[in-house]
Amino acid sequence: MSMLLLILQLLFASMMFFGILSYSLGRKKTTNPKLTGMLGAILGLFPLLGVIFLIVLVLKADITTPSIPQE
């Protein structure tokens, strides 16, 4: 029982870690950071996929907000 509890706690911690990192990267790199964070948390169940997802986010170009011309 305690081994199962330990595994579940590690999975939950992994989901939180990848979800928070994905959300923070998604704020700068995507237009929908909540969805990016949720996808990162789900992929955190499989740490290798979570790492690949974070690498893709890091390599993605930052979004730029269009500047409003001053008149």
Side-chain angles (χ1 to χ4, degrees), residues 1-56:
M1 180 70 176
S2 67
M3 187 62 136
L4 178 64
L5 187 61
L6 177 65
I7 291 171
L8 288 176
Q9 286 176 344
L10 288 173
L11 283 176
F12 182 73
S14 174
M15 287 178 65
M16 293 298 293
F17 176 75
F18 285 109
I20 290 170
L21 280 178
S22 297
Y23 177 76
S24 65
L25 282 171
R27 287 180 58 207
K28 294 189 299 185
K29 308 239 180 213
T30 65
T31 57
N32 197 348
K34 290 180 183 177
L35 182 63
T36 306
M38 287 176 52
L39 185 59
I42 291 169
L43 290 175
L45 286 172
F46 308 100
L48 182 60
L49 293 177
V51 168
I52 292 170
F53 184 68
L54 287 178
I55 290 171
V56 169

